Amino acid sequence: RVRLGGPDEVKFVLAPGSGVVTKEQQQKMAAQVQALFDAGVAATRASDYDTAITKFQEVIGLLPNCFDCYYNIGQANAQKKDYAKAEESFKKAIELKPDYAEAYNGLATIYNAQKKFDEATAASQKAAEIGAAAGPGGAGAGGGNVNALYNQGVIAWNAGRAEDAKAKFEEALKVDPNHPASHFQLGMCLVNLGKLADAAAEFETYLKLAPDGEYAAQAKALIAQLPKK
């Protein structure tokens, strides 16, 4: 089963509120928050998901509206396959930031993992709508949009709809021609549809973009077996 998602990174800037807080105190708190958040990201990348969750929760204790923290907690819980807690966190991130495309992508991923394909499709479509509405230079465009399209392709692929999946991966590559995972998954669709030479070309493109990527070994093995154009 194909999955999507990774930790989100941010830089915090704290603005003065109604209380009397010195600039030095603001800077100290900002540094503390950033250090905790960075520790959470590092723990996620090290697959230490419990520590990551703890660190992001500590940030929330200081900044209750940290939607990126909830998103990252959702990603960590998704990796732990605790889908109920992941769903709760992604939805909280969306409550705080309604146009958070990646949080919708996170929901799509965990629904897909549970074979809740209708819910996964709805969440992924919402992410795509947000990305499209943001426009070429807006927040959530580009990366958010290509991820949403890729995720829709993954959902279709896991549901056994190779033609639909192919169309979505091709759409993703129109948004970002250098999206490695879309090239690999498009290749898999083409294998399924019997277009073997075209599939080999997609795997070769994947290896050019991500020679040490997640699917590199599989792509090399497939290229060795498939006819070339």
Side-chain angles (χ1 to χ4, degrees):
R1 186 167 303 279
V2 187
R3 302 184 187 278
L4 172 69
D8 216 14
E9 297 187 60
V10 296
K11 294 294 181 184
F12 294 99
V13 178
L14 303 182
S18 58
V20 179
V21 181
T22 67
K23 184 176 181 180
E24 182 180 351
Q25 288 172 321
Q26 292 173 33
Q27 291 173 340
K28 184 177 180 179
M29 184 178 175
Q32 180 185 3
V33 166
Q34 191 67 60
L36 288 169
F37 193 94
D38 290 345
V41 171
T44 300
R45 288 177 172 162
S47 300
D48 184 359
Y49 302 118
D50 289 331
T51 297
I53 291 167
T54 297
K55 294 300 179 183
F56 294 128
Q57 286 173 335
E58 288 182 48
V59 177
I60 290 169
L62 297 169
L63 295 177
N65 293 329
C66 179
F67 48 81
D68 285 310
C69 297
Y70 284 105
Y71 168 79
N72 282 304
I73 290 171
Q75 289 289 1
N77 278 315
Q79 292 296 326
K80 292 176 63 179
K81 295 185 171 60
D82 190 339
Y83 297 127
K85 288 184 179 178
E87 180 180 15
E88 180 182 348
S89 294
F90 288 136
K91 286 184 173 179
K92 182 63 177 179
I94 291 166
E95 178 187 324
L96 294 169
K97 181 177 169 59
D99 63 347
Y100 202 161
E102 286 305 317
Y104 279 106
N105 277 326
L107 285 174
T109 299
I110 62 170
Y111 291 146
N112 179 48
Q114 299 172 84
K115 299 185 180 181
K116 297 180 178 179
F117 297 126
D118 289 343
E119 292 94 329
T121 299
S124 189
Q125 286 176 343
K126 182 64 177 178
E129 289 170 9
I130 292 169
N145 199 23
V146 71
N147 284 344
L149 291 167
Y150 171 76
N151 222 14
Q152 288 177 30
V154 167
I155 292 161
W157 173 257
N158 287 338
R161 304 195 310 272
E163 285 282 7
D164 292 344
K166 174 178 174 290
K168 289 301 178 183
F169 295 133
E170 288 173 340
E171 285 185 54
L173 289 171
K174 287 179 182 178
V175 175
D176 181 3
N178 296 319
H179 192 250
S182 291
H183 280 288
F184 179 82
Q185 297 302 336
L186 177 57
M188 293 299 292
C189 291
L190 291 167
V191 169
N192 184 276
L193 297 169
K195 300 179 180 180
L196 303 183
D198 290 337
E202 291 300 328
F203 296 138
E204 287 170 352
T205 301
Y206 170 81
L207 288 173
K208 288 177 184 176
L209 295 170
D212 300 315
E214 179 182 0
Y215 306 114
Q218 192 175 352
K220 291 175 184 176
L222 287 164
I223 288 170
Q225 300 173 40
L226 295 173
K228 312 296 190 297
K229 285 187 176 180

